[in-house]
Amino acid sequence: MKRVPIIERPDWREKAAEFGFGFHTMYDEPYWSEDAYYQFTLAQIEEIEDATAELHQMCLKVVERVIESDELLARFQIPKHCWNFVRESWKTGQPSLYSRLDLAYDGINPPKLLENNADTPTSLYESAFFQWIWLEDQIQAGNLPENADQFNSIQEQLIERFTQLKDQYGFRLLHMACCRDTEEDRGTVQYLQDCANEAGIATEFLYMDEIGLGERGEFTDTQDQIISNLFKLYPWEFMLREIFSTKLEDAGVRWLEPAWKSIISNKALLPMLWEMFPNHPNLLPAYFADGNQPELESYVIKPLFSREGANIRVIENGKEIASADGPYGEEGMIIQQLHTLPQFDGNYTLVGSWLVNDQPAGICIREDKELITQDLSRFYPHVIVD
């Protein structure tokens, strides 16, 4: 694994405009970057792929255990009035679409799980589509060898998964929603709409605040059409606390992602994994910060619901060396042994490993000059060259 400088495509910004990639620059800071790429061997990719598959199955084992325990559901801060709703989503086999594991990996040592973005993962469009276009263009320009490849079947697997959802679960119309005022979220949903359309599923977009409640307790869109299937790029931990959460169980909606994802998108997953699979080579020691945890010299404090690195604190040899502000923390914390991200050319590098329908599907790379990967950390493409 190495970071290799390369010439940018002279027309990549025009291509981004053409393909609707409007968030390649955010707040005047570059997000998409192609002045370099990350190079992997096939053996390294296979190591990431195998670890991803195994970690995901371990996460599903955590779901099995948590849904059987009132105590654990409470520890995961799932509101009591939603316990049955979450349990039923698992027991009735409600289908999932996709997720992303964040891994620390240097190409030499085993990948280590930092967290599971199982509910609302973004960076999808640039992972599945735009970095593949970059690969094709750079091969054609002679800047990469003709046999250069990429671990990236995300788009094909998404379309295949949507086809399965149509054929097995009767998805004919899929409503798709996100919050207002976030171009990245809207771009992600637009991309998923395209994939669903490719699979023969009609889609209707609406914003979360446009979802209405019908006379019989069903959720409706802006045309008072009943919502039967809904993809929402909106966190379960928010939904389960909102006023309409009492209606979730009876509304008759099939949700993507399903409510059981509220368990494995929660940082409480990490101490549960360590308890159930101690000393696993792809895990880091992790504990609930409840006063009973063992003392660690170097560790990371993470709120159960933190996103994009918010409210994370990094402690090394007893001293805080990095922190990020944010709105999280009141829900409780976990601590995870510090495993500093590997550095390439002075950049801390994080591997995002995608799954579609429980199967590894590709990777993305984020890097930052700072220890904590956040929403504006730069995205870099990757290649496989053996």
Side-chain angles (χ1 to χ4, degrees):
M1 179 180 175
K2 54 187 177 182
R3 188 182 192 273
V4 183
I6 193 171
I7 300 166
E8 291 188 0
R9 295 170 294 167
D11 61 345
W12 76 259
R13 288 172 180 81
E14 288 77 13
K15 286 205 170 183
E18 176 189 344
F19 290 124
F21 185 14
F23 53 93
H24 59 75
T25 303
M26 291 191 277
Y27 310 106
D28 297 322
E29 293 289 330
Y31 167 63
W32 169 269
S33 301
E34 56 175 74
D35 57 332
Y37 62 90
Y38 281 83
Q39 181 175 310
F40 295 82
T41 65
L42 184 58
Q44 289 168 336
I45 291 296
E46 287 172 344
E47 184 175 27
I48 293 170
E49 187 175 11
D50 291 347
T52 298
E54 186 170 355
L55 285 165
H56 181 66
Q57 291 304 315
M58 289 157 57
C59 291
L60 297 182
K61 294 289 186 189
V62 173
V63 179
E64 285 180 3
R65 183 167 165 188
V66 172
I67 60 152
E68 297 298 337
S69 166
D70 290 357
E71 181 186 349
L72 288 174
L73 286 167
R75 192 151 215 193
F76 275 64
Q77 293 297 314
I78 293 170
K80 189 172 184 178
H81 70 277
C82 296
W83 287 358
N84 194 60
F85 172 64
V86 172
R87 283 178 165 139
E88 285 302 304
S89 73
W90 177 256
K91 291 179 176 179
T92 57
Q94 291 301 298
S96 66
L97 180 62
Y98 75 128
S99 58
R100 190 191 77 236
L101 305 182
D102 282 349
L103 306 172
Y105 183 61
D106 59 5
I108 301 165
N109 299 294
K112 298 288 188 181
L113 177 67
L114 299 180
E115 63 180 72
N116 188 349
N117 299 275
D119 183 21
T120 58
T122 51
S123 304
L124 178 68
Y125 169 86
E126 50 274 36
S127 298
F129 182 76
F130 206 67
Q131 73 166 337
W132 183 261
I133 297 295
W134 168 88
L135 177 72
E136 291 182 328
D137 287 347
Q138 292 288 33
I139 291 173
Q140 190 171 357
N143 296 326
L144 289 173
E146 285 190 14
N147 66 340
D149 200 359
Q150 199 172 81
F151 179 32
N152 188 0
S153 61
I154 304 167
Q155 181 163 298
E156 294 89 334
Q157 290 199 45
L158 283 169
I159 294 168
E160 183 180 335
R161 181 56 171 160
F162 276 122
T163 302
Q164 291 173 347
L165 293 172
K166 181 185 69 174
D167 295 343
Q168 292 179 24
Y169 298 93
F171 279 63
R172 292 291 178 270
L173 172 64
L174 177 62
H175 284 81
M176 306 187 85
C178 68
C179 288
R180 297 179 188 271
D181 304 323
T182 163
E183 190 174 6
E184 182 183 8
D185 285 6
R186 182 67 188 98
T188 300
V189 173
Q190 178 65 58
Y191 173 66
L192 285 167
Q193 282 183 267
D194 292 343
C195 291
N197 294 158
E198 193 75 24
I201 298 175
T203 61
E204 290 273 355
F205 177 79
L206 73 168
Y207 289 108
M208 291 298 297
D209 60 17
E210 293 178 324
I211 297 173
L213 192 63
E215 292 178 2
R216 298 178 183 174
E218 67 275 33
F219 292 128
T220 58
D221 65 15
T222 53
Q223 281 81 45
D224 293 326
Q225 190 174 199
I226 292 173
I227 297 173
S228 300
N229 306 298
L230 178 64
F231 172 88
K232 47 93 198 154
L233 198 64
Y234 188 70
W236 273 116
E237 65 262 23
F238 293 175
M239 288 183 64
L240 297 181
R241 284 163 173 73
E242 289 179 1
I243 212 161
F244 66 80
S245 61
T246 56
K247 308 294 184 183
L248 287 167
E249 195 166 355
D250 301 321
V253 177
R254 185 180 281 115
W255 300 90
L256 288 177
E257 297 298 321
W260 57 262
K261 285 284 192 91
S262 63
I263 295 172
I264 56 174
S265 62
N266 184 314
K267 302 297 186 303
L269 168 75
L270 300 170
M272 287 295 298
L273 283 170
W274 186 250
E275 179 186 325
M276 292 171 66
F277 305 97
N279 302 309
H280 189 281
N282 301 123
L283 295 177
L284 294 167
Y287 309 93
F288 288 99
D290 56 7
N292 299 313
Q293 71 274 15
E295 284 193 24
L296 299 174
E297 276 293 303
S298 300
Y299 54 95
V300 181
I301 304 170
K302 298 180 176 182
L304 300 190
F305 298 155
S306 172
R307 291 170 181 273
E308 305 282 12
N311 297 100
I312 283 177
R313 296 168 57 209
V314 181
I315 313 298
E316 186 174 56
N317 298 322
K319 293 183 180 179
E320 184 175 298
I321 60 169
S323 65
D325 294 331
Y328 303 102
E330 289 183 9
E331 72 277 10
M333 304 276 194
I334 64 105
I335 64 169
Q336 185 181 46
Q337 185 181 78
L338 176 62
H339 184 88
T340 305
L341 290 173
Q343 281 188 286
F344 293 83
D345 296 340
N347 302 284
Y348 293 102
T349 299
L350 178 75
V351 176
S353 188
W354 292 94
L355 297 113
V356 178
N357 188 21
D358 300 331
Q359 299 301 315
I363 60 169
C364 58
I365 308 293
R366 303 285 298 281
E367 68 168 42
D368 206 300
K369 296 290 185 187
E370 304 298 326
L371 267 174
I372 300 171
T373 306
Q374 299 189 63
D375 56 347
L376 297 181
S377 299
R378 297 175 301 281
F379 184 109
Y380 275 85
H382 77 279
V383 301
I384 307 168
V385 178
D386 254 340

